[in-house]
Amino acid sequence: MSVLRWAIFSVLGLAYFFVYFHRLSLSVVADDLASDFGVAAGVLGLLGSVYFFCYAAMQFPAGLLSDSVGPRKTVTVSLLVAAVGSVLFGLAPGIRTAFVARVMVGLGVSMVFIPTMKVLSQWFKAGEFAVMAGILNAVGGLGVLAGTWLLGLLATSFGWRVSFQVIGGVTVVLMALAWLVVRDRPADSADSPVAQPDAIGLLAGARRVVSTRHFWPVAVWFFFDCGIFFGFGGLWGGPYLMHVYGMSKGQAGAILSMIAWGMIVGSPLLGVLSERLRSRKRVFILASTALALLLLLAVALPASLPQWALFVWFFLFSVCSSAIVIMGFTATKELFPVSMAGTCVGMVNLFPFFGGAVFMWLLGRILDGYPLALEAGYSIAGYRVVLLVLLIASVLALACTLAMRETYPQNRGTGPGRIVCHHTAR
């Protein structure tokens, strides 16, 4: 069983790799899309944001499908939809087809994370689960690396269209592996490494989540924090580096790759810091304060940072806006009983992607409000306003962290992987 569960995790980890790949892939090829389709920044921002609208809208159904038809079938079908969407995006003759393709990709990859969490909860003990979640987020960081730096190289060498068609073909292979390898739970329930808690109905659980007032500061924090990350790191960060700093696509992709390293390095480090401080809330406050200071620096010096400083800036930006999300899911789970873990994570997971959808579109509209600087692209004045909006959003995210409840479990039970938390929701 030990070998099988690692094989299952490997396949699902690869699926999550492509979730992040598609999530940030438009940032590097944004200029190519605008040129080929002849669209303005607002339309391009909407093209990027439609992924997030689809992803957010499918989180509740993803939990329902995982509980009814099972994670294996859910992930297999979703990967097929994503594969077809990726190939169609590479073949799109116009912006309308590109929108249809992007919707398919968004719908497909939206049903990977929640089923993966459910599978891991069946195959790994509670104490192992936290470690596996950290590894999964690191794999997502590798997907960011591929969606920025590697895609930049592929698009430069073969064009963005061929790149997305190849990714679609690889996803088909991954879909077949998911069907052949993944199993929802150990065949014999007596062999399961975890105890099965009493189930709480999905609708009853959802009502309990939304009626818990301590849920909302975390949810709103997710909206602003991930709106900043996806809006800038996922789409407009690449054009910003190319237009304001005059970088090539490859140079911009190299700097954007620091987003991936921020996730890979930052996720486990923030987890260790939380344990050392014996606090989730303090880590939220520290990360949100650092994010606000980073954006304040960018507003003050929008075109004056040396290249080495940009590498450092994007690394820290990723740590403070992306790696920190694992702490957000952890805090959300600790607000509720273990039996509600899937429901509460699915509910809070709506907010990061609504934030990404809103901010991608909003930042594009802001850039459209300023005249183009001819061949240089969007003007520095437009990007300065974009950075100012992001700074305001970071201050609002910081305010949410101050209103959060401390969820760090003060007492740990003696059972395997069991955590007893006195900070129960009221």
Side-chain angles (χ1 to χ4, degrees), residues 313-372:
W313 192 95
F314 273 90
F315 176 82
L316 294 176
F317 172 81
S318 176
V319 172
C320 298
S321 64
S322 180
I324 187 64
V325 301
I326 286 299
M327 198 61 58
F329 291 121
T330 300
T332 302
K333 287 177 62 178
E334 291 172 348
L335 282 170
F336 301 94
V338 175
S339 56
M340 289 180 58
T343 301
C344 64
V345 170
M347 293 293 290
V348 82
N349 210 25
L350 297 170
F351 292 87
F353 301 101
F354 276 134
V358 170
F359 274 76
M360 279 187 165
W361 169 81
L362 175 63
L363 300 184
R365 293 289 294 176
I366 291 172
L367 291 174
D368 278 341
Y370 290 82
L372 292 174

Side-chain angles (χ1 to χ4, degrees), residues 284-307:
F284 276 120
I285 293 174
L286 287 173
S288 296
T289 300
L291 180 61
L293 292 175
L294 286 170
L295 289 167
L296 179 62
L297 176 63
V299 170
L301 303 171
S304 305
L305 294 176
Q307 190 172 57

Side-chain angles (χ1 to χ4, degrees), residues 104-379:
M104 293 182 68
V105 169
L107 291 175
V109 299
S110 68
M111 293 184 288
V112 172
F113 179 72
I114 299 297
T116 298
M117 292 294 100
K118 185 174 180 65
V119 169
L120 294 183
S121 71
Q122 298 297 314
W123 284 92
F124 294 89
K125 297 178 182 178
E128 299 171 326
F129 182 87
V131 176
M132 301 310 298
I135 296 174
L136 186 68
N137 201 49
V139 173
L142 294 176
V144 174
L145 189 64
T148 52
W149 174 71
L150 180 58
L151 181 60
L153 294 180
L154 288 174
T156 300
S157 301
F158 305 104
W160 69 270
R161 291 183 178 275
V162 172
S163 299
F164 278 95
Q165 292 172 42
V166 170
I167 294 303
V170 173
T171 307
V172 171
V173 176
L174 185 58
M175 174 205 70
L177 287 175
W179 180 255
L180 294 172
V181 175
V182 174
R183 294 295 181 269
D184 294 343
R185 61 186 63 83
D188 184 354
S189 60
D191 293 334
S192 177
V194 294
Q196 302 300 315
D198 294 334
I200 296 178
L202 189 63
L203 293 179
R207 285 195 296 267
R208 179 168 175 178
V209 169
V210 298
S211 63
T212 301
R213 65 185 181 88
H214 295 294
F215 167 81
W216 290 103
V218 182
V220 177
W221 171 84
F222 261 119
F223 176 86
F224 286 114
D225 177 83
C226 292
I228 294 168
F229 173 68
F230 292 136
F232 193 67
L235 182 59
W236 295 113
Y240 167 73
L241 292 172
M242 290 185 279
H243 297 163
V244 175
Y245 284 91
M247 293 184 179
S248 67
K249 189 180 301 178
Q251 290 173 322
I255 290 179
L256 290 175
S257 71
M258 298 309 293
I259 293 174
W261 294 114
M263 290 177 60
I264 295 168
V265 176
S267 297
L269 285 181
L270 291 177
V272 171
L273 179 61
S274 175
E275 291 298 321
R276 291 289 180 86
L277 295 177
R278 299 180 63 84
S279 173
R280 312 297 187 207
K281 184 172 181 176
R282 290 180 186 176
V283 177
F284 276 120
I285 293 174
L286 287 173
S288 296
T289 300
L291 180 61
L293 292 175
L294 286 170
L295 289 167
L296 179 62
L297 176 63
V299 170
L301 303 171
S304 305
L305 294 176
Q307 190 172 57
W308 68 266
L310 289 171
F311 275 95
V312 174
W313 192 95
F314 273 90
F315 176 82
L316 294 176
F317 172 81
S318 176
V319 172
C320 298
S321 64
S322 180
I324 187 64
V325 301
I326 286 299
M327 198 61 58
F329 291 121
T330 300
T332 302
K333 287 177 62 178
E334 291 172 348
L335 282 170
F336 301 94
V338 175
S339 56
M340 289 180 58
T343 301
C344 64
V345 170
M347 293 293 290
V348 82
N349 210 25
L350 297 170
F351 292 87
F353 301 101
F354 276 134
V358 170
F359 274 76
M360 279 187 165
W361 169 81
L362 175 63
L363 300 184
R365 293 289 294 176
I366 291 172
L367 291 174
D368 278 341
Y370 290 82
L372 292 174
L374 299 178
E375 296 181 359
Y378 298 109
S379 70

Side-chain angles (χ1 to χ4, degrees), residues 47-105:
L47 179 65
S49 67
V50 72
Y51 168 105
F52 295 92
F53 281 120
C54 294
Y55 200 107
M58 289 302 296
Q59 292 311 288
F60 189 78
L64 181 61
L65 289 171
S66 297
D67 289 336
S68 56
V69 304
R72 177 188 177 217
K73 293 179 181 178
T74 301
V75 170
T76 300
V77 174
S78 68
L79 288 176
L80 175 61
V81 174
V84 174
S86 183
V87 173
L88 182 61
F89 190 78
L91 297 172
I95 190 64
R96 292 185 178 180
T97 305
F99 267 102
V100 173
R102 192 66 176 167
V103 166
M104 293 182 68
V105 169

